C-alpha cells in the first residue's frame, strides 16, 4: 500500500565483539529501508561466511543463526526489491571470491550504465548469477584490483566506470571500506563505538542502535577505509555537483536520523511550515498520513495556528506481507491499516498532509475514509512537488503512465481524489526545508533534469 | 519488554460472505491484545472447521489458509499466554463436539474457581486435554446443556457456576452467542455490517475493521444471541457491581476504541490532565513512553502548558520475538526499540509520562537513555496508582515480590529509577478519567480488594 | 498407491535412560504401520509432556525435540489415518488430565461401539476435542477410574464396555500398562532390555530396535502392568475366540517380526508354498510385487521348482507424499516406483505373486508394465482369498463397491487385470500358513462373518 | 552410515509437455546418486527459471513448485556434497547469464585443475560466488563462447582446458547439450520418448522413469546437441584410454541401469561369482549387506552352491538425516537400519558379502550384530579390492589415513572386523565382472595409478 520504495539499507562494523549481533541491531534500525530480504556476512580470521534470506531481520536472524556468525568484522544489508529481481539469489551482502580472496559487498543505489558494463564484461567471458547491479560493481572492482595495489584504490578507480547511485560497504579479508558515489545520491555515514570499533551505516539511527558516536557523513566521491591503522580517506578527483535524493528527507529516512547534516524530523516539519505559508487553508484541524506525514502536519499546524490532531491510529500488524485483498475490500484494507479517529474529524474542516502523491489511489481511499468519518471539508497538501518523472537512482516508482500527475491537471487530480482543495509544495519551497544540509539535491523526479545523462 | 499482558481478544461474525476473511480483519485489529497464537473457526452448513497456530494473524492466515475456511459464520481469537500454558494445544477457538453437535468457543478472561470446577467434573470421569480454563467453561456449558432447551440458556445458567472474568463468543451449529461475566471485567461489544451481519468483538476498533456500525456494549451478565431471527438478549439475574478492568483504559485497549461508553484515547488524555493537576512539575517539555504514554503526555502538556514533544522514535521491527539479549546489551535493546530524539531532550527538564510502573526495570533503562541523551532533569509521572497486588482476572503480572511498589517506598523507587521526582496518579483521580464510562471498576491491583472473594 | 492401510503402531518403555530416544528407535522400527503422524510422550517425576506432529518419525523428532523430552518412561505412536480424521489434533499419544493426574495413551485398532459410547457420555456433559475413538477409550477408562482403586483395574473393567479392536499402551504417573482387546485383533508384545527396562510394542521388530529381549505376546484380554514392582498380569474374564487379523501375516507386519508366535517371513513364504500347491502354473520365472509379495514369491518358487527372479527395482524415494499424478501419468508413476527388470522378464512366462487384490488398479498397471517389458505370459497368484467385505477393526479399505471382487467374477477380474490366469489362495489354505501361531483369526473381510456383531 | 558417496546425478529433456514434471520423475529415479540438494531449471521461450533447495526431490518439488516451472525444455540435478561445500548456494543446476543470454548447467564429476583455472581467470577479474567446480566449467565455456560460433563448439573446445571428470548437461536458450569428459569417468546416456523428446541422464533407469527408449551412451569426449534439427554429435579429437569408474558397477549405479553397455545387476552378480571362485568358504548360507551386496551374494550363492538367504531387513526410514547417535548407541543405530533375521543366521556359518570395505567401522558393527544373532562363523568377502588411495574424480572418500587398508594388513583388518576369514576380490578378477562394458576402467583407488596426472 505504500507508494514509494527505496532499494536498501547497509551497515558495517569492524573490530568488535559480537560483530554479527551488533549488525543485527543496526539492520533492525534500518529495516524501514527494505523489508524483503536481509543478510549478514562476517569475517573471522580472513574467512567470510554469510547468511541471507527473505524476510524481516528479526525473523531471519534467530539466536542460533547469529551464533553461527562468528567474527570481529561484519557487513549487513536490508533489501526492498522490485518484482522479478527478488529472491534469495539477489539478497545481499554479495559474497564472492576473487583474485585476492574473499569479499562481501552491501550496496544501496542503482547503476545507470549497468547494461553497458554488463555487455563489456561479457565480451571477456564474464558470467552473471544474479540480476542485481551489485554484481556488476563487484566485477568492476575485481577487474580494477588485478592491476591495483589495494582494494581501496580499486574501489576508487572503479568510480570512473560506475555511473549512478551507489553507497557501498565492502568487507575484504582485512579491511572494511565505505564508498559513496560522486553525486552522493544515497546517504552513508560513519561512527565509532566506545570500544573503538568503526561503524558505517546508511543512516545515523543505526549508529544509535549500537551506541556508536556519529563522526561524520561519508562525502560524495569518498572512500573511507577502516583497518588496523584506523580510518583513512581517499577521494575521487572528479567533483560533480552533489545530488542527494531529497526524498530521503521527505519520506525514506527515519525521523531521528541526521542525513548530510540535516535532522530529518526537522526537515519534515519545515516542509509542513513551508506548505502552510505557501498554501494556507481555512480549517479546524491538521492531520497527517502516518508515518511520514505526521511531522509535516505538525509543522503545518505550528505555522498556521490550526490545531494538530491525530487523525488515524495506524495498525502496525498490517505488514508488507498483508494479503492483497480483492478490489471490493481494498478500501477496507486501507482502513484496517489507518483507522480514522472519527471523534477528531467528524464535522470538521481538515487539512490532510501527505508526503507525496504518486498514483493517488491510496490518498483517494484515505479521503473516502475521512468523509465516512464525518469530515466536512478536506484540504490535501502534499509536502513534495508533483511527481512527474521516473527515478533512475534507486527508487522503485510506477511507470510514468501510472503517475497521476502525468495525465491529470491539479484540478483533475483534486477531483479524482475527492478533495475540497489540493496543493503541492513547490520545488522552490522544497529546497528550503533542509537548511542544515551540506549537499545539493537531485530533483529529477520533479523536473526530468537528472544529475547524469540517462 | 512490555510489562503487562492481557490474555486475549475475541471476534465473531454471523451471516456474511467471506466470514473467515472478515474475522481475519477483525483479529488484525485486535492483535495488540495477544500476539502468541491465533485461530479462526468457521461454520458451513452446521459443520465447524478451525485453523489455529502460534504466530501473528497476518503470518498464520495466508491466502490459502483463508480459502480453506469456508462458511458464513466465524469466530476468532488472538492470544497472549504465560509461559507453560502456551502452545498450539491451548490456542483458541476451542472446538469440540458435545451432545448437540459442534461448538467453537473464544474466551477472554480468567476463572478463579477453575480448580474447584475441574475437581468436581473429574469425579464424574471428565478428561482434560488443555491447561486452559476455557475447557472448564466448555464443560460447564456442555453439562448445563444436557437438561436445558437451548445453548443460550445453558450459557446463562453456567453463569451461576463460573466465577471470574469471561467475555465469550460461542458458535453453535446455528447460532453465534456472546456472553460477558456479571462483573464485566473484560470488554465486549456488538455491531452490525451494512449487509446485516452481526459482529461481536472485544473492542470497537475491530468493528471498524469490517465497517460494522457499533450498536452497543454487551452488558455485564448479558447473553446475546445472533441467529436467523436477529439479535436477542438474555440477562443473568444476579447483579454484582460492575467491575471493568481500568487498565483497559490506561493500557490495553486501542486508543481508537470505545469501551463501555468511554473513548479510550480521551481517557488517556484525561489521565494526563489529572496528573498535571495533581502532580505538577517545573519542566521544559513533556514526553510520553510510546505508545500508551503518548496520549497521557499530550493531556499533561495541554493542562500544564508545558510543550509536548516527541521524545522517542519507536522501532516497530522490535517485535515480541526479539531475541532476549544478554544483560550487558539489555539497555541497548531498550534503546533499539525506543531511540531518544536527543535534539528534543538535550539540556531540558522533562516530564516523562509512563502508563504504569510494574517492575521498574524498563522505566529505569529509559531514564538512563534520556540522561545519556542530555536530559537535565527527569520527572516521572505514572498515569496509574502504585501496582501492589496480583490480578486474578486475566492480566499476566509478575509475582507480588517482583512488583517494585511492594518492596520500595516512592522515594526508594525514585532512587532506583534514577528520576528527579516521581509521582503516581492517585486512585481517587484515576476514577475520574472515564466520565463517559457506564461501569464501575475493579481496583484490586491497587487496593487488594477484589470484586469477588479470591 | 498401496491398497491397504492399518491405523497404527505403538511403543512404550519404562525405567530407562534416554526413554524418548529409545522410543524414537522403536517408532522408526514401526514406521511401516503408519506414516502420517507420530508422537512421543514422556514422564518425568510424574509429569507428562508430549510432542506430536504430522510427518515421519525421523523428520519430526530432531535432536532438539528429543532433547526436550526428558524422562525415564515414554510412550510413542505412529499413525496412518483416513482422510478427514487426520491432522495434528488426532495425532497420538493422546495426553490428558483426569481425576488421578496425567495420562498418555497410544492406541492401535478400531472400536465398533464408538457412536454408542459417545452418545452415552454426551448425556452426562462430555465434550470431545478429537474425532478419534481413542478419546472414547480415554473417557471410558477415566469414568471407570473414579470408583476403581487402580488404573489397571479401570482398564480391565473398561474391557466389558469397549467392543472392537484395541491394543493399548497407557502411561500413568507411575505405571506403564499394556492392554489388548479380548479378541486379540491387533498384535502387542512385551520385552525386556539389558538394563531391566520393560518394553511394549506392536511388533517384535521394535524390541530388536532397542536391543530388548522378546518375553512374550500380550494375550487377548490381558492387561500387563509395568511398575516399580516389575511386571504383573490381569486378565479379563470373558474369553471369546481369539481373532488376530490375518493380514498382519500377509501384509502389515514386518517380515522380521514374530506375531503371536509365528515368524512373519515364514508365514509369507508358506502362503507362497500353499499357492504353488493349490494353483500351479506353467512358467519360467516367479516374481513378487515388492515388498510383501517377495517372500511369497520365494515360497512359490521353492515349492514349484520354477526359479525366483527379482522382477522389479523398487524406488524408495517414491514416498506417501508423492504428488498424485494426472490420470495420464498414473502408470508412469507406478513404473517410477516399481521399475521392471526387463532382462529378467522379457520373453518369459512369469508367475506374479501379489499379497492381495483389492481395487485391482495397481495390479493392472503392474501387469501392463510387465507386458511392455516383454513378459510372454503372466499368471497372477494372490496370497489371500478374494477381498469381499469391509473391515471394522482398523484396516482402511475402499467401500464395498470399490472392491473388485464384489462386482466381478474371477474370470472378469482376470480380464480386467489383463492376466493370462488368476488364482487366489483359498481361505482353507490361508489358515495353514501360520502353524506356529497361538491364535485364531478374524476372517471377516473374506467371509463377512465377524467375531463380534457389527 | 554409508561409506562412499558420489557427487551427483543429472537429467535433461527437450521439447516435451510438462518438462519439469518429467525431470522430477527422472530425478527421483536418480535420487540414489545424491540426497543433499536438488534443482530443476526450465526454459520457456528462451528464458530460464530455476528452483533449487536442500532436501529430497519429492519433498522439494511440491505440486505448486512444479506448476511454477513452465517450459518445454528442462535440466535437473541431484547432489551429494561433502561438508563445507553444501548449502543452497552450491545446489545445481547452476544458472547464469553470459554473452549469449541464459545458461543452465548440471554437472557430475570433479575437476582436478580447478585451482589452476580459478587462478588464471581471477587474473582477468573473475569473481566466484560458489565453491563448486561447476562455476569454473561455466567460466571456461563462457570464455570460449566469446570467439566461438556456437555453444556446442565452445563446450567442445573447453574440453582441452578441463582436466578431470565431468558429465554435463547444458541448457542454452535453444539447445540442450550433453557432454562427457574424454576419459568417460562418469556415465551419461541418451534416450527418446514416444513424443520425440530427447532425454539425457546419468543412468538408463532415469530414461525408464519417463518411458524413454534407450538410444545409446554418450561416448567419452563426445558432445551431443539436441535442438530443433534433432540430435547431432561432435567429438573431441584427443582420445585418452576410457576410464569409467568401476564403482558405478559395484556400488553407485542402480541395479536396473545399463552403464556403458553393461547391465549393472549382472555385473554385481558376476562379482559374487568371481569371489566364489577366487575365495571359497565352507559355509551354510550366503548373505549380503543390503542393498548393493545383495546381488553379489546371490552370485556367490549360485556359483558356490551354498544357499542364499536374506540376512537382514533394511529399514527404509533410517535416512541420511538420521541423527548421529552417541557412541554408545552407534551399533544400535546400525541394527535399527539393518535388523538381522536371526532365524536365518543362528547356528550357521555364513558368508557375508559387502561391496567394499573403506573405514571398516560399519562392517565391524554388522559382524557384531550377526554374532549376537547367533552366527557361528562369519566369512567376509568384499566384492572390490582393497581401497588404498584417494579418488580425485568425484567420489567422496575418507582421507588416506582413515582407509583401513592403508594401515592394516588383511589379517589385521580381519581381526579388527571380528571376522573368521576375510578376502577381497582381486583387481584382475574385478576387471572380469563387466564383460558387456564398452570401456576401460579407472583403477586409481586400488592402484594409485590414475588416468591423468594429478
Amino acid at each position: 500500500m505504500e507508494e514509494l520504495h527505496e532499494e536498501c539499507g547497509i551497515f558495517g562494523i569492524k573490530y568488535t565483539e559480537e560483530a554479527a549481533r551488533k549488525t543485527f541491531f543496526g539492520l533492525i534500525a534500518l529495516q524501514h529501508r527494505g523489508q524483503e530480504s536481509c543478510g549478514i556476512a562476517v569475517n573471522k580470521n580472513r574467512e567470510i561466511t554469510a547468511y541471507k534470506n527473505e524476510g524481516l531481520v528479526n525473523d531471519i536472524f534467530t539466536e542460533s543463526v547469529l551464533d553461527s556468525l562468528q567474527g570481529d568484522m561484519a557487513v549487513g544489508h536490508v533489501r526492498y526489491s522490485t518484482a522479478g529481481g527478488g529472491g534469495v539469489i539477489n539478497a545481499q551482502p554479495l559474497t564472492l571470491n576473487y583474485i585476492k580472496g574473499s569479499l562481501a559487498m552491501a550496496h544501496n543505489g542503482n547503476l545507470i550504465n549497468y547494461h553497458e558494463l554488463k555487455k563489456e564484461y561479457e565480451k571477456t567471458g564474464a558470467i552473471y548469477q544474479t540480476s542485481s547491479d551489485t554484481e556488476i560493481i563487484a566485477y568492476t572492482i575485481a577487474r580494477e584490483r588485478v592491476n591495483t595495489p589495494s582494494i581501496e584504490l580499486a574501489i576508487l578507480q572503479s568510480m570512473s566506470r560506475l555511473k549512478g547511485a551507489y553507497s557501498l560497504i565492502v568487507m575484504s579479508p582485512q579491511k572494511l571500506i565505505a564508498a559513496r558515489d560522486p553525486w552522493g545520491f544515497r546517504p552513508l555515514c560513519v561512527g565509532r563505538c566506545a570500544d573503538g570499533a568503526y561503524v558505517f551505516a546508511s543512516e545515523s539511527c543505526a549508529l544509535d542502535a549500537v551506541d556508536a558516536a556519529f563522526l561524520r557523513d561519508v562525502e560524495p566521491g569518498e572512500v573511507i577505509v577502516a583497518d588496523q591503522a584506523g580510518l583513512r580517506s581517499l577521494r575521487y578527483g572528479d567533483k560533480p555537483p552533489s545530488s542527494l535524493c531529497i526524498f530521503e528527507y521527505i519520506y525514506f529516512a527515519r525521523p531521528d536520523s541526521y542525513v548530510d547534516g540535516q535532522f530529518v524530523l526537522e526537515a519534515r516539519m519545515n516542509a509542513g511550515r513551508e506548505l502552510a505559508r505557501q498554501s494556507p487553508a481555512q480549517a479546524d484541524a491538521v492531520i497527517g498520513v502516518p508515518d511520514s506525514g505526521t511531522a509535516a502536519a505538525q509543522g503545518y499546524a505550528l505555522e498556521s495556528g490550526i490545531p494538530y490532531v491525530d487523525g488515524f491510529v495506524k495498525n502496525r500488524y498490517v505488514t508488507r506481507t498483508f494479503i492483497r485483498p480483492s478490489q471490493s475490500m481494498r478500501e477496507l484494507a486501507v482502513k484496517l491499516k489507518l483507522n480514522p479517529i472519527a471523534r477528531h474529524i467528524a464535522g470538521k474542516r481538515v487539512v490532510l498532509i501527505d508526503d507525496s502523491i504518486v498514483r493517488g489511489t491510496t490518498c483517494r481511499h484515505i479521503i473516502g475514509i475521512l468523509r465516512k468519518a464525518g469530515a466536512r471539508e478536506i484540504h490535501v497538501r502534499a509536502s513534495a512537488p508533483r511527481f512527474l518523472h521516473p527515478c533512475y537512482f534507486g527508487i522503485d516508482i510506477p511507470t510514468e503512465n501510472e503517475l497521476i500527475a502525468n495525465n491529470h491537471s491539479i484540478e483533475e487530480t483534486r477531483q479524482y481524489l475527492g478533495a475540497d482543495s489540493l496543493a503541492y509544495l513547490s520545488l522552490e519551497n522544497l529546497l528550503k526545508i533542509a537548511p542544515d544540509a551540506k549537499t545539493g539535491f537531485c530533483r529529477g523526479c520533479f523536473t526530468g533534469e537528472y544529475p547524469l545523462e540517462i
Side-chain angles (χ1 to χ4, degrees), chain A:
Chain A
M1 270 180 288
E2 307 298 336
E3 300 208 23
L4 292 177
H5 296 285
E6 196 186 20
E7 299 282 327
C8 310
I10 60 179
F11 184 93
I13 191 164
K14 179 160 174 59
Y15 288 137
T16 190
E17 284 184 4
E18 301 204 74
R21 190 171 302 263
K22 284 173 187 164
T23 301
F24 166 79
F25 272 58
L27 292 183
I28 284 184
L30 295 172
Q31 183 84 75
H32 61 287
R33 295 183 77 84
Q35 288 114 50
E36 193 190 74
S37 67
C38 56
I40 296 177
V42 291
N43 183 322
K44 187 178 188 182
N45 303 331
R46 304 185 169 204
E47 231 176 90
I48 289 174
T49 52
Y51 188 83
K52 307 181 254 187
N53 215 334
E54 293 179 282
L56 294 177
V57 176
N58 195 35
D59 295 336
I60 300 308
F61 288 96
T62 60
E63 195 69 33
S64 70
V65 170
L66 283 177
D67 285 348
S68 73
L69 293 170
Q70 294 293 319
D72 61 358
M73 180 162 35
V75 59
H77 193 271
V78 290
R79 174 177 167 88
Y80 164 80
S81 79
T82 58
V88 174
I89 190 78
N90 284 317
Q92 296 199 19
L94 183 71
T95 55
L96 57 96
N97 275 279
Y98 80 132
I99 193 167
K100 296 295 179 182
S102 297
L103 277 190
M105 286 183 45
H107 168 223
N108 174 208
N110 203 53
L111 289 194
I112 60 170
N113 62 338
Y114 168 80
H115 288 286
E116 190 182 317
L117 293 175
K118 182 163 177 283
K119 281 204 158 48
E120 178 187 334
Y121 302 158
E122 279 175 359
K123 285 182 194 147
T124 66
I127 64 175
Y128 305 100
Q129 296 181 47
T130 76
S131 54
S132 82
D133 51 4
T134 309
E135 197 177 10
I136 295 294
I137 297 176
Y139 259 110
T140 305
I141 294 171
R143 292 165 73 99
E144 292 293 340
R145 184 70 177 95
V146 175
N147 298 307
T148 308
S150 72
I151 176 71
E152 58 267 31
L153 282 172
I155 294 172
L156 197 71
Q157 287 184 24
S158 297
M159 284 193 175
S160 62
R161 314 219 70 217
L162 303 170
K163 306 294 178 205
Y166 51 93
S167 285
L168 286 178
I169 302 177
V170 177
M171 183 166 71
S172 79
Q174 292 186 280
K175 299 169 186 171
L176 190 70
I177 301 162
R180 192 173 174 195
D181 65 71
W183 301 267
F185 285 105
R186 298 286 150 221
L188 193 60
C189 64
V190 56
R192 184 165 46 202
C193 293
D195 68 355
Y198 289 105
V199 183
F200 299 119
S202 288
E203 297 181 27
S204 68
C205 67
L207 304 183
D208 297 343
V210 296
D211 242 354
F214 176 85
L215 292 179
R216 64 179 179 85
D217 293 288
V218 178
E219 291 183 18
E222 186 179 15
V223 174
I224 301 185
V225 186
D227 62 10
Q228 286 172 314
L231 282 191
R232 273 173 302 121
S233 170
L234 292 78
R235 263 159 227 277
Y236 179 64
D238 201 12
K239 271 256 172 185
S242 73
S243 306
L244 177 70
C245 170
I246 202 163
F247 267 96
E248 292 285 345
Y249 292 136
I250 302 171
Y251 183 83
F252 293 128
R254 246 176 62 171
D256 53 339
S257 284
Y258 287 79
V259 169
D260 281 338
Q262 174 65 46
F263 191 54
V264 173
L265 179 57
E266 277 172 6
R268 282 186 198 155
M269 292 187 74
N270 289 341
R273 287 178 188 274
E274 291 296 337
L275 256 182
R277 279 193 286 266
Q278 173 199 298
S279 303
Q282 292 291 329
D284 306 309
V286 184
I287 64 179
V289 178
D291 292 326
S292 49
T294 304
Q298 288 169 340
Y300 195 103
L302 286 171
E303 185 68 25
S304 66
I306 305 169
Y308 168 85
V309 299
D310 288 329
F312 305 93
V313 169
K314 183 169 183 177
N315 187 324
R316 306 294 170 175
Y317 302 104
V318 181
T319 60
R320 76 181 293 279
T321 60
F322 186 74
I323 50 176
R324 215 152 292 186
S326 57
Q327 191 59 36
S328 66
M329 292 179 89
R330 196 71 53 91
E331 186 174 312
L332 210 55
V334 172
K335 193 182 164 198
L336 181 64
K337 184 160 191 174
L338 293 178
N339 198 32
I341 303 179
R343 193 138 175 148
H344 289 176
I345 293 161
K348 289 194 185 151
R349 299 167 302 169
V350 302
V351 176
L352 174 70
I353 311 289
D354 202 353
D355 46 63
S356 58
I357 295 168
V358 184
R359 272 197 193 82
T361 40
T362 299
C363 186
R364 188 188 185 190
H365 284 313
I366 290 172
I367 288 169
I369 289 166
L370 290 175
R371 292 274 180 219
K372 285 192 193 154
R376 194 144 57 87
E377 291 177 16
I378 299 170
H379 301 278
V380 175
R381 298 293 177 267
S383 52
R386 298 171 76 205
F387 209 119
L388 288 158
H389 303 280
C391 173
Y392 299 97
F393 304 102
I395 303 182
D396 172 42
I397 55 159
T399 61
E400 284 195 47
N401 248 350
E402 293 174 296
L403 296 171
I404 190 167
N406 259 324
N407 313 310
H408 300 77
S409 67
I410 295 185
E411 172 54 20
E412 287 166 349
T413 305
R414 183 196 66 72
Q415 285 179 25
Y416 172 78
L417 297 177
D420 293 286
S421 75
L422 168 64
Y424 295 84
L425 189 60
S426 71
L427 179 56
E428 184 189 357
N429 288 330
L430 176 66
L431 295 174
K432 298 178 190 161
I433 70 170
D436 298 339
K438 297 165 299 186
T439 57
F441 298 104
C442 174
R443 52 197 83 170
C445 53
F446 309 126
T447 66
E449 291 162 32
Y450 300 94
L452 282 81
E453 204 176 327
I454 303 305

